[in-house]
Amino acid sequence: MNFLKAEWRKLAIINYEIDPEILLPYLPKGTELDFYKGRCYVSLVGFMFLNTKLLGFPIPFHRNFEEVNLRFYVKKKEKGAWKRGVVFIKEIVPKPALSFVANSIYKENYHTMPMKNQIHEKEGELLIRYSWKDKSWHSIQIIADSTPKPIKENSEFEFITEHYFGFTKKENITSEYEVCHPKWEYYTIKDHQLDIDFQNIYGNDFECLNHQEPVSVMLAEGSEIEVRTKKYIS
């Protein structure tokens, strides 16, 4: 059953390498960390949630909004095959009702903060900026070529974007849901600016990211998506 339909568009993805030991307390039972060429990644992702429908119905004043999340990558073996997914540390949205629904139904760690976005295309360039406010404003800004390109097999971009399950941890219970979408195209990055206090937003475990440069910066076009109803796996 499809719980949610929407579009995820203009996904700004900032990737960092992190010590796997930091993530183990957040790892849902039954999953294990997923590595890309031996490296453990955590990603800050900002994007637009558009044309949102819950159980087939649009929710007034809650159809189009920004989201910023911090996530890492896991896999789970089932019937001899790997399911590759993500675990969210925290997801930030601008409206309390969004946090309430996501936290109640999906047991995710959603928080409500003031947010804003800028998306401009001019002379062959895209400017994408997502901002959110805790005690002060934080932001991701990317400038990219405006022509999208197809995904490359076995690339870092494929690893980051081709995780189709969400896993959540609630004490010793793990829940799983599937996110369905086609392969995404990417834009060539020209420049980026980050203004983020990871310790302030995500806690002491992620203070180390304040002192690191990203491994990579990506911009995905995104697509229509469907989120299927969750199930408990342990």
Side-chain angles (χ1 to χ4, degrees), residues 160-223:
I160 293 296
T161 59
E162 296 284 290
H163 281 76
Y164 287 101
F165 291 86
F167 296 99
T168 58
K169 176 180 180 178
K170 191 69 173 178
E171 298 173 350
N172 286 324
I173 303 296
T174 298
S175 59
E176 167 197 306
Y177 56 91
E178 185 176 6
V179 181
C180 302
H181 64 76
K183 289 178 180 289
W184 288 338
E185 294 183 314
Y186 72 95
Y187 297 93
T188 300
I189 303 297
K190 292 186 172 183
D191 194 16
H192 72 277
Q193 294 179 15
L194 307 174
D195 186 2
I196 306 158
D197 187 333
F198 284 95
Q199 183 179 22
N200 234 17
I201 298 290
Y202 301 106
N204 292 336
D205 286 346
F206 299 95
E207 187 270 342
C208 59
L209 301 181
N210 284 341
H211 312 291
Q212 294 179 222
E213 289 298 316
V215 173
S216 56
V217 176
M218 302 171 176
L219 180 62
E221 170 53 35
S223 66

Side-chain angles (χ1 to χ4, degrees), residues 5-7 49-53 58 62-65 224:
K5 287 187 177 183
E7 294 179 42
F49 229 120
L50 302 175
N51 300 317
T52 305
K53 294 181 180 180
H62 292 78
R63 292 196 69 190
N64 303 320
F65 53 91
E224 294 183 349

Side-chain angles (χ1 to χ4, degrees), residues 18 29 54 67 106 109 147 158 166 174 179-180 202 208 216 227:
I18 195 167
K29 187 177 180 180
L54 289 176
E67 178 176 320
Y106 276 86
N109 188 23
T147 303
E158 183 183 61
T174 298
V179 181
C180 302
Y202 301 106
C208 59
S216 56
V227 178

Side-chain angles (χ1 to χ4, degrees), residues 20-37:
E21 294 291 326
I22 292 174
L23 300 178
L24 293 181
Y26 301 91
L27 192 65
K29 187 177 180 180
T31 69
E32 59 185 84
L33 293 172
D34 198 4
F35 295 82
Y36 178 70
K37 295 185 176 180

